Amino acid sequence: MRILQLHNRYQIVGGEEGVVQAERSLLQQQGHFVECLEVSNDGIQGLGGKAIATANAIYSFSARQQVLKKIDQFQADLVHVHNFFPLLSPSVYDACRDRQIPVIQTLHNYRLICPKAMLFRDNQVCELCVGQSFPLAGVKYGCYRGSKAQTAVVSAMLSWHHLRGTWQNRVNTYIALTEFQKQKLVEGGLPSDRIQVKPNFTFVPDFPDLPRQSFILFVGRLAEEKGILQLLEAYRLNPQLPLLKIAGDGPLRPVLDQFIEQHHLHHRVQLLGRQPKETIFELMQAAICLVFPSIWYEGFPLTIVEAFACGLPVIVPSLGSMAEIVENGQTGLHFQAQNSQDLADKITWMSQHRAEVSSMSEKAQHRYHQSYTPQANYDRLMAIYQSSFTSK
């Protein structure tokens, strides 16, 4: 099969780019021909660049022609869109319709029902725009990049393509990452019969078994939405919690340094900074559990899947996709979202019940082999691709 991927890269590289690359590698390993037409937001510079990007976000005729040319050159059988915003725009769907080939859209976030793409505002879950013909609340609060003007453009894109029937009629199949995400997308107006669920996956290297040590692990970006401040507050509330190792970097690093100094947590919290993947896997093999305290719904965090592959149970809030991926009492524990005391209690339980944690470890690794391996993902992806040819 000849598969053309389309992807608009963000200025801040995140997990989405890794997913696109991993899927491309997986398909190529299985003998498919894959090319990726990729554009980057790095080129959006100055007022002129922003003005052009703003106009193109709603409908880019140049991107439509670019995709048509690429389809013809590559002789694509199918187009798989990962991100069209803002430079490619939904016009890429029309290019696929012009050539009468199926188009698949993976929804890595909530962009089609929320101007900010996160269903998150002022450090709280927000669904004010879900199901609205025009997301006026998003404009009111300037949800996209803190700008009412830029949010108005994103909202116009969402509203115009809703009225035009783009979301309903020009995509053969949407891929949601969890059942939770699918339900939110349906509430936002996407057609349920065109959404199929396929989780992300990860390649995991072979590694020797390492003995478990007495520390708790956090891996992720140091940002408000990741709940890292709630985790540190749990350590402030309970001085008996095991050593916490934090792997990652981000805008909250100075705030965390200040919090640790103010509350004398130096001997209980280690900020490791950004670490290579090999080191992350070593930490996951040695920790008691991973804590993933995010305060937004999340899409599909690869960090949780990587933890499962290492046989590491995960503590997550009973919120969004996280509560679906981690089965409470089986592959980890749930705590009440943004409740630092409850989180501290769950960490305490994990540190004091090693036999139960060992059982969770086995179940977590089994879940990885059952659902999140490259082969399991490839089989699911092929089934989606094949079904798209019958729904043209």
Side-chain angles (χ1 to χ4, degrees):
M1 189 181 298
R2 304 182 70 85
I3 302 153
L4 176 61
Q5 292 182 331
L6 303 183
H7 185 52
N8 192 139
R9 294 183 60 191
Y10 299 109
Q11 287 178 323
I12 300 176
V13 177
E16 187 172 316
E17 277 71 26
V19 170
V20 176
Q21 294 171 9
E23 195 165 278
R24 180 162 65 248
S25 297
L26 176 62
L27 289 166
Q28 290 171 334
Q29 288 174 12
Q30 294 288 344
H32 300 281
F33 298 95
V34 185
E35 282 201 18
C36 185
L37 174 57
E38 192 171 60
V39 298
S40 173
N41 289 357
D42 291 340
I44 304 175
Q45 300 293 337
L47 293 177
K50 291 181 179 179
I52 294 172
T54 296
N56 284 342
I58 298 175
Y59 197 96
S60 173
F61 289 95
S62 62
R64 178 175 178 172
Q65 292 304 312
Q66 187 180 12
V67 172
L68 279 170
K69 182 178 179 180
K70 192 67 175 180
I71 289 173
D72 293 341
Q73 288 178 342
F74 181 54
Q75 296 182 329
D77 298 313
L78 174 148
V79 172
H80 190 153
V81 184
H82 283 275
N83 179 35
F84 62 73
F85 184 81
L87 298 179
L88 291 174
S89 87
S91 70
V92 301
Y93 303 149
D94 287 341
C96 299
R97 171 170 283 201
D98 289 346
R99 293 297 181 262
Q100 297 186 321
I101 62 174
V103 56
I104 311 297
Q105 170 74 64
T106 293
L107 299 170
H108 295 278
N109 51 41
Y110 299 92
R111 173 73 66 199
L112 299 192
I113 62 173
C114 169
K116 191 177 181 179
M118 294 176 66
L119 298 178
F120 185 74
R121 178 178 59 83
D122 294 337
N123 293 328
Q124 298 288 335
V125 168
C126 175
E127 298 187 16
L128 291 178
C129 294
V130 176
Q132 300 300 309
S133 58
F134 184 87
L136 186 60
V139 178
K140 175 182 177 181
Y141 294 109
C143 290
Y144 180 68
R145 296 190 173 184
S147 167
K148 292 183 179 181
Q150 292 187 63
T151 305
V153 173
V154 180
S155 298
M157 181 270 291
L158 295 174
S159 182
W160 186 70
H161 285 286
H162 174 75
L163 294 173
R164 182 175 182 253
T166 300
W167 314 133
Q168 293 76 17
N169 303 320
R170 284 170 168 77
V171 177
N172 294 81
T173 305
Y174 292 101
I175 295 177
L177 305 179
T178 63
E179 290 290 346
F180 174 86
Q181 184 192 25
K182 176 180 177 178
Q183 181 57 42
K184 289 300 172 189
L185 294 168
V186 171
E187 290 175 16
L190 269 65
S192 177
D193 61 344
R194 293 198 178 206
I195 305 175
Q196 298 200 43
V197 176
K198 182 189 74 65
N200 290 333
F201 74 99
T202 186
F203 292 102
V204 177
D206 293 329
F207 37 63
D209 290 332
L210 297 175
R212 293 291 176 190
Q213 300 176 29
S214 297
F215 70 87
I216 305 299
L217 180 64
F218 171 94
V219 176
R221 187 165 181 263
L222 306 185
E224 290 278 3
E225 68 271 13
K226 292 300 181 180
I228 185 64
L229 289 176
Q230 285 74 18
L231 176 56
L232 285 191
E233 177 64 11
Y235 269 73
R236 186 192 70 80
L237 291 172
N238 190 335
Q240 304 304 316
L241 295 181
L243 173 68
L244 171 64
K245 295 187 178 184
I246 298 175
D249 205 349
L252 279 189
R253 176 62 188 262
V255 177
L256 301 190
D257 287 331
Q258 183 179 5
F259 189 99
I260 290 170
E261 180 177 358
Q262 180 180 353
H263 298 288
H264 310 291
L265 298 176
H266 298 89
H267 64 293
R268 300 173 54 216
V269 178
Q270 293 181 1
L271 294 174
L272 306 179
R274 188 183 300 275
Q275 297 293 319
K277 187 62 68 176
E278 295 78 9
T279 302
I280 295 298
F281 283 133
E282 290 176 0
L283 289 167
M284 286 182 170
Q285 285 184 274
I288 298 172
C289 68
L290 176 80
V291 178
F292 197 92
S294 188
I295 60 176
W296 73 291
Y297 284 149
E298 289 283 349
F300 192 95
L302 279 177
T303 302
I304 295 178
V305 174
E306 291 167 349
F308 283 1
C310 296
L312 186 64
V314 185
I315 299 176
V316 299
S318 51
L319 179 70
S321 296
M322 297 167 288
E324 178 180 332
I325 299 167
V326 178
E327 188 176 356
N328 190 36
Q330 300 297 312
T331 56
L333 293 178
H334 293 178
F335 71 96
Q336 185 179 353
Q338 300 200 49
N339 186 327
S340 294
Q341 183 59 64
D342 192 33
L343 175 55
D345 292 344
K346 296 303 189 295
I347 294 173
T348 298
W349 190 95
M350 282 283 197
S351 66
Q352 295 178 350
H353 293 80
R354 293 301 181 93
E356 291 88 343
V357 171
S358 179
S359 176
M360 287 183 181
S361 175
E362 294 177 3
K363 291 174 181 176
Q365 200 160 51
H366 176 73
R367 183 61 51 81
Y368 167 75
H369 289 295
Q370 181 183 53
S371 304
Y372 306 127
T373 62
Q375 186 62 51
N377 199 273
Y378 173 75
D379 292 343
R380 180 66 180 136
L381 184 58
M382 282 298 102
I384 292 172
Y385 281 176
Q386 293 299 330
S387 68
S388 70
F389 286 100
T390 62
S391 63
K392 286 198 296 181

